[in-house]
Amino acid sequence: MAAIKREPIPPPGPIADLFDRLDDLHSKAGRPSMREIAIRAGRGNISSSTVHNLFRRPHVPRWAFLEQVVKALGGAREREAFLALWEAAWRAENDVAAPQKALTDLSLPQGRAWNDHPELAPRTAQGTPPGGG
């Protein structure tokens, strides 16, 4: 089967990366038809027309649909990689910045305590770091 003719993809970046990886997975699976992919995904999970649109249109699909297609193509072990690609592509398509780490997500160097850095310590209800300040 010949490659699916996709509408023009945006310039190199997260969206193009997602579709390149999907095309690679489709090739590795032997380029099954859209109908075959829908059948592999399970009756009622995704239609062949939805699969076709996912491959043909350069718009980032819903994760639930992409996940079904990835599994149907034998890419279950690549789920996390596809999820990361999908998230980056979705953010790029919707012009949403990547989430920033919250201060509470930051860890201190080994052997350091919050009271060594009162400006970083979580504040109590009175506005002072726990343990003094």
Side-chain angles (χ1 to χ4, degrees), residues 123-128:
R123 300 281 174 182
T124 63
Q126 291 79 28
T128 59

Side-chain angles (χ1 to χ4, degrees), residues 1-4 23-24 26-33:
M1 172 181 236
I4 295 170
D23 288 340
D24 287 345
H26 189 228
S27 277
K28 288 177 187 173
R31 294 212 169 273
S33 70

Side-chain angles (χ1 to χ4, degrees), residues 80-105:
E80 295 305 315
F82 269 98
L83 178 58
L85 285 167
W86 177 85
E87 287 173 342
W90 186 90
R91 284 192 304 270
E93 184 174 84
N94 293 286
D95 199 25
V96 175
Q100 299 295 317
K101 276 193 167 190
L103 183 59
T104 57
D105 292 341

Side-chain angles (χ1 to χ4, degrees), residues 23-114:
D23 288 340
D24 287 345
L25 184 61
H26 189 228
S27 277
K28 288 177 187 173
R31 294 212 169 273
S33 70
M34 303 301 103
R35 184 168 185 239
E36 178 61 27
I37 294 169
I39 290 168
R40 290 180 188 180
R43 184 174 208 100
N45 285 331
I46 191 169
S47 70
S48 59
S49 62
T50 300
V51 174
H52 183 267
N53 288 337
L54 190 144
F55 276 92
R56 190 167 192 296
R57 294 187 182 147
H59 302 289
V60 178
R62 290 184 11 197
W63 170 246
F65 292 147
L66 180 61
E67 183 178 30
Q68 290 294 322
V69 169
V70 167
K71 286 179 184 177
L73 292 174
R77 288 187 280 161
E78 297 181 55
R79 181 190 182 278
E80 295 305 315
F82 269 98
L83 178 58
L85 285 167
W86 177 85
E87 287 173 342
W90 186 90
R91 284 192 304 270
E93 184 174 84
N94 293 286
D95 199 25
V96 175
Q100 299 295 317
K101 276 193 167 190
L103 183 59
T104 57
D105 292 341
L106 301 174
S107 55
L108 293 171
Q110 191 74 350
R112 305 294 260 170
W114 281 115

